[in-house]
Amino acid sequence: MSYADIPRPIRSGIVILDPERGTPQRVIVLQFNPDTLERSLQPQSAGGDSEGQGGGDKNEALRLKGPAQESWKFTAELDSTDQLEVASPNGIHPQLAALEMLVHPTTAQIRENSRLSKKGAIEISPIEKPLTLFTWGSKRVMPVRLTELSVNESAFDVNLNPMRAALSIGMKVLSVSDLPAGHRGAELYMAHLAQKERLAGIAPGIGIGALGLGGAGGLGGGTTFTASGTSRG
């Protein structure tokens, strides 16, 4: 097999959508896929005991108010010295600016709010950003909001344009608990959750005999769990 025959890896990235039409307004492709991902899921317990500290309503112990709160953290790298054949008079300024604008309002939005304030508007709505999706292959496409963006620039050209940087990126996955009913982001989250359900459905089933409980045959093996232990049905 030659080098040309090796399939190119799919890139992870961020897609900025028009929330009404669902059409991509911009695609930000990560130059290198992160080596590691840190994900956390916090269950939304109905009894108010989401942190497992006890004291919640015992009748609600197994109930959920909604999907778990999910967050992602990873480190991405940008390096214009890896693309010396491509002219980069601004270094990685454009790539950094594209990511930073995910957490900034535009100047037009700021000016519009300032204009409304000067006119004496009683209520000025917070500035709304476009819908943002994070993609990690075809099985992980989810609406997100950036919660952290830290940049460590480590190389510069003669004009002090950054040439290399490591970015620490944190994201909160936006679920139906965060978005209004009918919002395109809520629909995309439901598709993301349905994908999890499909993948969970094809996970190999193992009988409880592997745990030293009951028989080894089948998933349940006819075993019943009681206060005195397990018994075979």
Side-chain angles (χ1 to χ4, degrees), residues 167-227:
L167 299 91
S168 177
I169 299 176
M171 298 176 173
K172 170 182 167 55
V173 178
L174 298 178
S175 74
V176 292
S177 300
D178 303 301
L179 298 165
H183 192 282
R184 187 173 298 274
E187 296 172 359
L188 289 167
Y189 175 80
M190 290 296 288
H192 168 61
L193 188 59
Q195 178 71 277
K196 286 181 183 286
E197 292 175 357
R198 285 192 292 270
L199 292 172
I202 62 175
I206 300 176
I208 62 173
L211 305 177
L213 302 172
L219 183 61
T223 301
T224 301
F225 288 82
T226 66

Side-chain angles (χ1 to χ4, degrees), residues 57-74:
D57 187 341
K58 294 181 176 60
N59 293 323
E60 304 289 339
L62 300 180
R63 298 183 185 275
L64 297 173
K65 294 184 292 186
Q69 291 186 355
E70 184 175 356
S71 61
W72 289 51
K73 291 186 69 174
F74 58 88

